[in-house]
Amino acid sequence: CIYKINAQSLVMTMSSTTVDIGEPLELKFSLDCKGDDLKFDSTYFSVLHGPYNFSSMSVTKGVVSQIYGLKYLIEFKIGGTLILEPATVKVNNKIIQSNKIVIHVNNTIYKGDREKKLDEFKIKPHPSATPISKEDLVKMIDTLGNSKKTKTK
C-alpha cells in the first residue's frame, strides 16, 4: 500500500446551499491529514452543536487515503446571498485554506421541526455496532485488572 501524503487540502461543505433563517444544517471541514487551529468566520450563523470529530480511511488501487474532520450543526441568523469565506487550518506550521461557500438564506423563518432536523445530522452509532451489557462491561474490566496484576508479578 502507498500512503497519500503531502496533499494537504481542506474542504468546507454544507448539507444545503439554500435554507431558511433558523433552519439547522451541517457544516463540515474535511482534511486529508491531521491539522489543528481551525479558524472560520461565523459572522452570519450560530453554532447549535459541535464540533463533532470524524475520520475515515479508504484504499483505492493500493493507495491509502485518510480523512479527518470536524462537523458543526449551525443555523443562519440573517437572510440573503451570503459568502462563507475560506476557513484555515495549520498543518506542520503551514496554513492551509479551504474553498469558500455561497449560500442563499431565504428571508423567512424556518417553520419545520427543528429537533427532528437536528437529529438527522447528529452522529449515530454504526449500524453493526452492538451495545454492551453492564455485566459484560464489568467482566471486561475485571479481566483487564487481572491481566495487569499478572504482568506486574
Side-chain angles (χ1 to χ4, degrees):
C1 286
I2 301 168
Y3 282 87
K4 241 172 99 177
I5 53 175
N6 297 329
Q8 300 173 349
S9 64
L10 175 63
V11 179
M12 178 170 53
T13 58
M14 289 202 150
S15 56
S16 179
T17 55
T18 303
V19 294
D20 292 336
I21 295 170
E23 180 176 355
L25 72 155
E26 182 180 76
L27 173 62
K28 271 188 185 179
F29 299 95
S30 303
L31 185 63
D32 58 2
C33 56
K34 288 191 177 183
D36 56 60
D37 199 23
L38 174 70
K39 292 182 182 172
F40 58 92
D41 181 12
S42 61
T43 303
Y44 303 122
F45 62 85
S46 298
V47 174
L48 302 172
H49 294 283
Y52 298 106
N53 292 307
F54 67 90
S55 66
S56 66
M57 181 182 281
S58 65
V59 180
T60 306
K61 296 183 180 179
V63 177
V64 177
S65 300
Q66 190 152 13
I67 300 293
Y68 303 92
L70 292 175
K71 175 171 98 167
Y72 295 85
L73 303 181
I74 66 169
E75 67 179 1
F76 281 87
K77 303 181 274 189
I78 61 170
T81 300
L82 308 174
I83 298 173
L84 295 184
E85 294 299 329
T88 60
V89 68
K90 192 184 290 186
V91 177
N92 299 327
N93 291 322
K94 181 179 170 188
I95 301 297
I96 307 296
Q97 192 171 346
S98 77
N99 54 299
K100 68 180 177 181
I101 293 180
V102 177
I103 183 160
H104 180 74
V105 182
N106 300 319
N107 282 313
T108 56
I109 303 297
Y110 180 67
K111 292 180 176 56
D113 186 339
R114 285 176 52 84
E115 290 306 313
K116 183 178 178 183
K117 186 98 176 190
L118 284 168
D119 280 346
E120 291 173 16
F121 296 122
K122 288 188 181 163
I123 295 175
K124 296 175 177 54
H126 191 277
S128 66
T130 54
I132 186 167
S133 70
K134 185 177 177 180
E135 293 80 19
D136 286 342
L137 180 60
V138 169
K139 286 178 191 174
M140 287 172 60
I141 292 170
D142 286 345
T143 302
L144 283 171
N146 289 336
S147 69
K148 286 182 181 178
K149 289 177 189 172
T150 305
K151 289 179 183 177
T152 57
K153 287 185 180 179

